[in-house]
Amino acid sequence: MKQTAHGPAGTGSEAPDRPAGADETTAVRVPAQARPAAPAPAPSGGDAAAARGEHTHGKRPVPRAPSVAEHARPVVQRSSVRGQILQALRSALVTGELRPGEVYSAPALGERFGVSATPVREAMQQLALEGAVEVVPNRGFRVVERDARELAELAEVRALIEVPVLLRLARTVPAARWAELRPLAEATVRAAASGCRVTYAEADRAFHRAVLGLGGNVQLVRIADDLHRRAQWPPGGAAAGHARTELMADAAQHVGLLDALIAGDPESVRAHVDDHFGTPTP
């Protein structure tokens, strides 16, 4: 994210939001994921009204998740904006586009997204609950600076939750059920090969959710996924995310672990679990 994405240090207050009534019914513009630019025909009629941000009753466009750094702005409906903003901000945390220690104001980000400050502020407040940012009164939200110790602590907590469950499931889940997770494991390999940290982060969590989901404990899956997401944010002062070679190694561990689970080899499962979580199993 460019430096201009946040308000200048020491500003007295944030800019006012758009009128509440307009947010509920008016189509708004947000940046879309990067894609090749294509020429568009001149809008007319209802299309022209939608392009101006006016309410229309015609066909609704398909919502697309925005990226903090991009400027293409397809029209989407207000009800989907908060979720798209939250997804974009989470991705920006993984890539380091939202830099640890920096303060970002909701009005400044809202202007960049082409929306009011309200959905941006709501998304930032959710990130504050997740421990990613902290509120700075009258300025905005500061991205939390984390160190290697915090990452190590998160890894330890994840291991305490996931490893016992995984080892128990290794003894009780039939091979055919494990085999159903093959596409998810292979998806992590493709994501790692792409070098896209955001794509890999999503594929990584999807695989772990599916593994834990075989235990049937929804609350455990939810808590473990939240810890996993927090562990994916890079520490302050470090290059964002992992190098491609590290992503490939991590993805290969998924495949090796799944192979051991399908084979019903408990010793191999333990070895792969130790390798993947970095802690000896009890």
Side-chain angles (χ1 to χ4, degrees):
M1 173 175 293
K2 298 180 180 178
Q3 186 66 24
T4 55
H6 57 85
T11 53
S13 60
E14 297 186 358
D17 295 346
R18 295 182 182 178
D23 278 341
E24 296 300 324
T25 59
T26 304
V28 296
R29 299 166 181 264
V30 298
Q33 296 288 0
R35 60 185 185 279
S44 61
D47 293 337
R52 293 192 299 271
E54 299 174 3
H55 178 70
T56 64
H57 297 281
K59 182 179 179 181
R60 294 185 178 180
V62 178
R64 301 176 65 89
S67 170
V68 172
E70 294 160 356
H71 302 285
R73 296 179 175 180
V75 177
V76 298
Q77 297 300 314
R78 171 67 179 89
S79 60
S80 68
V81 171
R82 178 187 177 278
Q84 292 187 54
I85 298 297
L86 180 58
Q87 179 181 339
L89 294 175
R90 282 174 170 166
S91 297
L93 284 168
V94 172
T95 63
E97 197 176 352
L98 286 178
R99 295 187 296 275
E102 293 288 343
V103 177
Y104 298 88
S105 73
L109 287 174
E111 183 177 355
R112 191 158 188 170
F113 280 127
V115 300
S116 74
T118 299
V120 178
R121 187 177 294 110
E122 290 171 350
M124 280 293 201
Q125 288 170 345
Q126 176 60 39
L127 291 178
L129 292 176
E130 296 174 5
V133 301
E134 57 188 9
V135 177
V136 180
N138 300 320
R139 292 184 60 195
F141 301 84
R142 177 184 290 111
V143 179
V144 173
E145 296 185 83
R146 305 185 314 152
D147 55 22
R149 177 174 179 176
E150 182 175 350
L151 290 176
E153 290 174 349
L154 284 170
E156 181 180 6
V157 175
R158 282 191 62 207
L160 289 171
I161 292 176
E162 294 192 46
V163 169
V165 175
L166 200 158
L167 294 177
R168 173 173 57 82
L169 294 175
R171 298 190 300 268
T172 58
V173 174
R177 294 294 306 279
W178 290 119
E180 293 173 359
L181 304 188
R182 176 74 66 186
L184 292 175
E186 294 175 346
T188 68
V189 175
R190 292 192 299 271
S194 75
C196 177
R197 290 180 288 271
V198 173
T199 301
Y200 184 77
E202 294 172 352
D204 184 23
R205 294 204 319 276
F207 175 77
H208 281 264
R209 283 197 304 268
V211 169
L212 296 177
L214 292 176
N217 189 326
V218 175
Q219 297 304 317
L220 183 144
V221 173
R222 184 176 301 164
I223 292 171
D225 188 57
D226 178 64
L227 288 169
H228 196 167
R229 178 187 290 112
R230 292 171 61 186
Q232 291 172 330
W233 303 331
H242 297 286
R244 181 174 176 274
T245 53
E246 293 176 311
L247 297 182
M248 291 293 293
D250 195 64
Q253 291 170 2
H254 293 154
V255 176
L257 173 60
L258 190 59
D259 286 342
L261 290 166
I262 293 173
D265 184 346
E267 293 304 317
S268 181
V269 169
R270 283 181 175 271
H272 281 91
V273 167
D274 290 346
D275 191 28
H276 194 58
F277 286 92
T279 54
T281 58

